[in-house]
Amino acid sequence: PSRMIQLGVFVVDATVTLLRRFISGEPWHKPHRSHAYQHAAIRLNSHRQVTLMVLAINTIWLLPLAWFVKEQPENGLATAAVALIPLVVLVLVLGAGRSERNSRATS
């Protein structure tokens, strides 16, 4: 669970994006710009700001939780849920898995 927590932003974004594309019938294996990271960069008009936000999430939220799991491995699954569920909500709000065209229409 510690490594999953440390990679949480990337794993959650990729997983939610691919699942939503698969469920909606979009070709999940073809090139696209429907990751939450990409939607955020378009909304903010800045890859730099999004990268800094990811760095903040990793440092302030995920790193302490990953450290806690290293110290208390018996709490790994519960801590992973605490770490990753807010990320799932965030990528859904940002429109992960929606095409850029559909995301702009709903933002």
Side-chain angles (χ1 to χ4, degrees), residues 28-107:
W28 58 270
H29 58 285
K30 294 203 175 180
H32 59 89
R33 295 191 315 173
S34 61
H35 287 275
Y37 176 93
Q38 293 162 316
H39 288 297
I42 290 166
R43 285 183 188 178
L44 295 174
N45 197 31
S46 173
H47 284 277
R48 183 177 189 272
Q49 280 186 311
V50 177
T51 300
L52 291 173
M53 287 182 206
V54 169
L55 180 62
I57 290 168
N58 283 337
T59 304
I60 296 166
W61 178 248
L62 298 178
L63 183 61
L65 291 169
W67 173 84
F68 178 75
V69 169
K70 285 282 195 187
E71 296 297 313
Q72 304 280 329
E74 65 276 8
N75 296 316
L77 290 178
T79 305
V82 167
L84 301 179
I85 289 172
L87 298 179
V88 171
V89 172
L90 177 62
V91 300
L92 288 171
V93 167
L94 287 171
R98 281 194 246 146
S99 69
E100 184 181 347
R101 181 181 68 251
N102 291 340
S103 180
R104 284 188 178 175
T106 58
S107 346

Side-chain angles (χ1 to χ4, degrees), residues 7-33:
L7 295 170
V9 171
F10 308 106
V11 170
V12 169
D13 189 13
T15 301
V16 171
T17 298
L18 292 175
L19 284 174
R20 286 183 94 180
R21 287 175 58 80
F22 181 76
I23 290 167
S24 71
E26 291 188 47
W28 58 270
H29 58 285
K30 294 203 175 180
H32 59 89
R33 295 191 315 173

